Amino acid sequence: MSEVFPLKDPVRHIIWKGDRLRVLDQRLLPRRISYIDCRTPAGVAKATKDMALRGAPLIGCAAAFGMALAAKKGGKRALPEAAALLKSARPTAVNLACAVDRMLEAARFCPNGDLFAHLAGAALAFYEEDILANQTMAKLGASLMHRGSRVITHCNAGALATAGLGTAVGIIRYAHHLGKIEHVYPCETRPYLQGSRLTLWELMRAKVPATLITDNMAAHVMKTQRISAVIVGSDRIAANADVCNKIGTYGLAILARHHGIPFIVAAPATTVDFMTPDGSAIPIEERSASEVLEIHGRPIAPAGARARHPAFDVTPHELVTAIVTEKGIVRPVNGRNLKRIVLGKK
Amino acid sequence: MSEVFPLKDPVRHIIWKGDRLRVLDQRLLPRRISYIDCRTPAGVAKATKDMALRGAPLIGCAAAFGMALAAKKGGKRALPEAAALLKSARPTAVNLACAVDRMLEAARFCPNGDLFAHLAGAALAFYEEDILANQTMAKLGASLMHRGSRVITHCNAGALATAGLGTAVGIIRYAHHLGKIEHVYPCETRPYLQGSRLTLWELMRAKVPATLITDNMAAHVMKTQRISAVIVGSDRIAANADVCNKIGTYGLAILARHHGIPFIVAAPATTVDFMTPDGSAIPIEERSASEVLEIHGRPIAPAGARARHPAFDVTPHELVTAIVTEKGIVRPVNGRNLKRIVLGKK
């Protein structure tokens, strides 16, 4: 990995300003570029909870800066409360907890001296680690693609969800750079429309040929459009390699299996949670029904209607063809191989 | 079927006024009740094409009245052109062609006399036939349900899609009347949101407990909510029993099979097209990309984005557990049994 990585991403989604974290409000994309200034851990937690800031790896990076902001204001004594606040902002993505724990650990190694400067440096290092992880995943994942690939992706596992080029979208963009991608079909990903608002926006900026589909078109497109692979990101991977990701992922994995299409998950090692034995132990965030019942603030259902809004689902590892991490490719997908690749253990 | 059917539906979606057909504009539901007056076959065709008027059986009924309107204005000589116009309004649902052909046949049996009155009577008969077909399907389909059933449905195969109580929703409502339905999950059905706008509205009016889900939640709900059956309607059933229905149906059938859940299709005999050998011969209407790229007239994707919009998909008969028609239940689902039940032939 000594050569310069050939793709850049100009998305400025979180910007460390030394005394605050500027956060791109992703809810307004692609209509408007607007930033929120977070000066406290509570500000970062709120932006995360409200989904202005989203994407499992990115909310981890932002939380790391949130811990630095806590140290700036309240020193070491402020860290436990900030840690609890940030971790509780969203329950499913484990990168958040991983980043916060990393910062608590960093604080332990700074008994004296400027704790804020130390933690800000650690947060930047965590951020840059994610950029490099993206690049490595992009190369590894692209090695699984053949020329003329036609790919389905879901939600946004792109530059907007990470510090770098993205996980799933990083692979797609790098494979496209190598001339291997013929077409991409992002699923719109209701209710938040991350596919149409964010992934399609990234692909169009990168000049990757892409056509939007509604989530319910995936099976028809798999049958009629010679799809080569489904590539998605993840919010948490359990010890047995079950994959938690945006709602709809589990259905796509079943459809891919039915059509004999490889189902590939891309996620950095920070997404793997060896403390969670299997998918059934992953807490699935249930968000507000109003996010399903309204679009652009206008109702799409009768007044008084009820709706479910599980934000994630779990794909059993048996349905996953390969997990691409920056440590290597896990295949066949099972707990033993996951441990071997991610922890380097037999 | 001599006893009085216990459920009524107060939806007034098409109203024959003697000189015109009043059509409820379903695009505005559930926000507004507004009607369009169709005085010509072209008016009926336009309301159908624009989806103010929708639902395979209902657009058949409306087309029958459209043929009567043609006779009113231009007599027998106006019928061929009106027939071509009405049939071309939407290509996939075969009920439309079936209704128009029925009216052409009725016209042949009226060599002299008042052709308009004759065709208006034939259209009313066609309409009433559909009401009775709905009632019979409701009873037959409900016999397949057990107490405590938890059902997923897709799109709108209800009162708004037919002359009567609906096909899939008719079964659900009758089974609910018998105390067999515990809960219904309508899929919202992007891009037109017939599930959230229409089916949920009907279920709430009928006091059937229902919770809206986005299309991509179906797999997660099947795994976690003890779903007993998926019940949908159809726009065309081929001779080999392949089922064409709203986009997303094929995916639901695969997900149901994966979870061991019965997948039931309800459709009147007018939906069966023995001239279409199998699903691959059914023309799939490709509608405008703007219907995917905009919601409430506002874009949900970047300017210049491309989208697919196949309005239907085909579910191979192997994935269908039973087809409920007013002539009987087709099970196992194959071309031989379909012919035996619908045509009464061995």
Side-chain angles (χ1 to χ4, degrees):
Chain A
M1 291 298 298
S2 58
E3 84 273 39
V4 174
F5 193 75
L7 297 173
K8 292 211 187 308
D9 198 277
V11 174
R12 307 254 296 163
H13 42 32
I14 64 173
I15 306 163
W16 178 239
K17 290 287 195 180
D19 62 340
R20 62 193 189 278
L21 188 69
R22 301 205 75 185
V23 169
L24 177 64
D25 189 344
Q26 297 197 24
R27 295 168 302 184
L28 304 179
L29 289 178
R31 282 184 295 125
R32 227 169 80 210
I33 304 287
S34 172
Y35 287 86
I36 298 167
D37 272 345
C38 303
R39 294 173 190 276
T40 61
V44 175
K46 186 176 187 313
T48 303
K49 199 179 189 92
D50 295 350
M51 288 182 70
L53 176 67
R54 51 148 296 282
L58 187 66
I59 63 177
C61 292
F65 287 109
M67 289 295 284
L69 290 171
K72 185 176 171 61
K73 211 165 177 178
K76 207 161 213 162
R77 292 166 64 183
L79 295 185
E81 196 189 320
L85 185 70
L86 286 162
K87 280 188 181 183
S88 70
R90 295 196 71 190
T92 302
V94 77
N95 315 61
L96 188 56
C98 171
V100 169
D101 289 341
R102 188 83 75 87
M103 297 301 280
L104 289 173
E105 199 184 313
R108 275 206 303 280
F109 287 92
C110 180
N112 307 303
D114 188 344
L115 180 67
F116 167 62
H118 183 72
L119 289 191
L124 274 170
F126 189 80
Y127 182 85
E128 274 160 19
E129 223 174 79
D130 194 55
I131 295 176
L132 287 175
N134 283 186
Q135 295 179 358
T136 309
M137 278 185 274
K139 292 189 171 183
L140 288 172
S143 74
L144 299 174
M145 304 279 113
H146 55 72
R147 278 198 177 266
S149 284
R150 300 167 67 82
V151 170
I152 287 177
T153 186
H154 190 61
C155 195
N156 174 264
L160 287 162
T162 63
L165 207 61
T167 53
V169 176
I171 292 173
I172 290 168
R173 284 192 56 193
Y174 193 74
H176 176 254
H177 169 76
L178 300 177
K180 290 179 165 186
I181 296 283
E182 191 175 295
H183 213 86
V184 181
Y185 293 93
C187 295
E188 66 175 4
T189 319
R190 280 280 292 146
Y192 253 91
L193 300 168
Q194 292 95 336
S196 50
R197 293 191 301 108
L198 309 180
T199 300
L200 188 58
W201 185 70
E202 287 189 18
L203 293 172
M204 286 170 72
R205 279 161 61 115
K207 303 198 187 311
V208 179
T211 302
L212 182 66
I213 58 173
T214 60
D215 301 311
N216 61 19
M217 290 176 194
H220 180 69
V221 166
M222 285 182 192
K223 187 158 101 177
T224 58
Q225 300 297 319
R226 295 183 293 104
I227 298 300
S228 329
V230 177
I231 312 181
V232 299
S234 171
D235 290 80
R236 190 185 302 206
I237 298 173
N240 75 337
D242 286 354
V243 171
C244 182
N245 190 43
K246 181 54 55 193
I247 188 75
T249 303
Y250 170 50
L252 282 175
I254 296 168
L255 300 179
R257 171 62 52 94
H258 182 85
H259 292 94
I261 295 168
F263 186 84
I264 296 166
V265 174
T270 51
T271 301
V272 181
D273 179 15
F274 288 106
M275 302 299 286
T276 300
D278 59 42
S280 69
I282 299 174
I284 302 290
E285 178 184 9
E286 183 85 24
R287 293 185 62 87
S288 162
S290 69
E291 294 175 343
V292 168
L293 295 167
E294 293 174 9
I295 298 178
H296 294 154
R298 276 174 62 179
I300 58 157
R306 282 185 292 183
R308 282 289 312 276
H309 186 184
F312 303 94
D313 59 27
V314 172
T315 302
H317 64 272
E318 296 87 351
L319 292 173
V320 182
T321 312
I323 298 177
V324 178
T325 78
E326 76 276 28
K327 313 274 190 175
I329 299 174
V330 181
R331 186 174 55 170
V333 175
N334 55 48
R336 205 170 52 87
N337 281 339
L338 182 69
K339 201 168 167 185
R340 186 174 56 83
I341 295 288
V342 172
L343 299 182
K345 286 181 184 165
K346 291 273 173 183
Chain B
M1 290 299 297
S2 58
E3 83 272 39
V4 174
F5 193 74
L7 298 173
K8 293 211 188 306
D9 198 277
V11 175
R12 307 255 296 162
H13 43 29
I14 64 173
I15 306 162
W16 178 238
K17 289 288 196 180
D19 62 341
R20 63 193 188 280
L21 188 70
R22 302 206 76 185
V23 169
L24 176 65
D25 189 343
Q26 297 196 24
R27 294 169 301 184
L28 304 179
L29 288 178
R31 282 183 295 124
R32 226 169 82 209
I33 304 288
S34 172
Y35 287 86
I36 298 166
D37 273 345
C38 303
R39 294 171 190 278
T40 61
V44 175
K46 187 176 186 315
T48 302
K49 200 181 189 91
D50 296 348
M51 288 183 69
L53 177 67
R54 51 148 296 281
L58 188 65
I59 63 177
C61 292
F65 287 109
M67 290 296 283
L69 290 171
K72 184 176 171 62
K73 209 165 181 180
K76 206 161 213 161
R77 293 166 63 183
L79 295 186
E81 196 188 320
L85 185 70
L86 286 162
K87 280 187 181 182
S88 70
R90 295 196 70 189
T92 303
V94 76
N95 315 61
L96 188 56
C98 171
V100 169
D101 289 342
R102 188 82 76 86
M103 298 301 280
L104 289 172
E105 197 185 314
R108 275 208 303 280
F109 287 93
C110 179
N112 308 304
D114 187 345
L115 180 67
F116 167 61
H118 183 72
L119 289 191
L124 273 170
F126 189 80
Y127 182 85
E128 276 161 17
E129 223 174 79
D130 193 55
I131 295 177
L132 287 176
N134 283 185
Q135 295 178 357
T136 308
M137 278 185 274
K139 291 188 173 186
L140 288 173
S143 75
L144 299 175
M145 303 282 114
H146 56 71
R147 277 195 178 268
S149 284
R150 301 168 66 82
V151 170
I152 287 177
T153 186
H154 190 61
C155 195
N156 174 264
L160 287 162
T162 62
L165 207 61
T167 53
V169 176
I171 291 173
I172 290 169
R173 283 193 55 192
Y174 193 74
H176 176 254
H177 170 75
L178 299 178
K180 290 179 165 186
I181 297 284
E182 191 176 295
H183 212 86
V184 181
Y185 293 93
C187 295
E188 65 174 6
T189 318
R190 281 278 294 145
Y192 254 93
L193 299 168
Q194 292 95 335
S196 51
R197 294 190 301 107
L198 309 180
T199 300
L200 187 58
W201 185 70
E202 288 190 18
L203 293 172
M204 286 170 72
R205 278 162 61 114
K207 304 198 188 309
V208 180
T211 302
L212 181 67
I213 57 173
T214 59
D215 301 312
N216 60 20
M217 290 175 195
H220 180 69
V221 166
M222 285 182 193
K223 186 157 101 176
T224 58
Q225 300 297 318
R226 295 184 294 105
I227 298 300
S228 328
V230 177
I231 312 181
V232 299
S234 172
D235 290 80
R236 190 185 302 207
I237 298 172
N240 75 337
D242 286 354
V243 171
C244 182
N245 191 43
K246 181 55 54 192
I247 188 75
T249 303
Y250 170 50
L252 282 175
I254 296 168
L255 299 180
R257 171 62 53 95
H258 182 85
H259 292 94
I261 295 168
F263 187 84
I264 297 167
V265 174
T270 52
T271 301
V272 182
D273 180 15
F274 289 105
M275 303 299 287
T276 299
D278 58 42
S280 69
I282 299 175
I284 302 291
E285 179 184 9
E286 184 85 22
R287 294 184 63 88
S288 163
S290 69
E291 294 175 343
V292 168
L293 295 167
E294 293 174 9
I295 297 179
H296 294 155
R298 275 175 63 179
I300 58 159
R306 283 185 291 183
R308 282 290 310 277
H309 186 184
F312 304 94
D313 60 26
V314 172
T315 302
H317 64 272
E318 295 87 351
L319 292 173
V320 182
T321 312
I323 298 177
V324 178
T325 77
E326 76 276 29
K327 312 274 190 175
I329 298 172
V330 180
R331 186 175 55 169
V333 175
N334 56 47
R336 205 169 53 87
N337 281 340
L338 183 70
K339 202 169 168 186
R340 185 174 57 82
I341 295 290
V342 172
L343 299 182
K345 285 178 185 166
K346 291 274 173 181

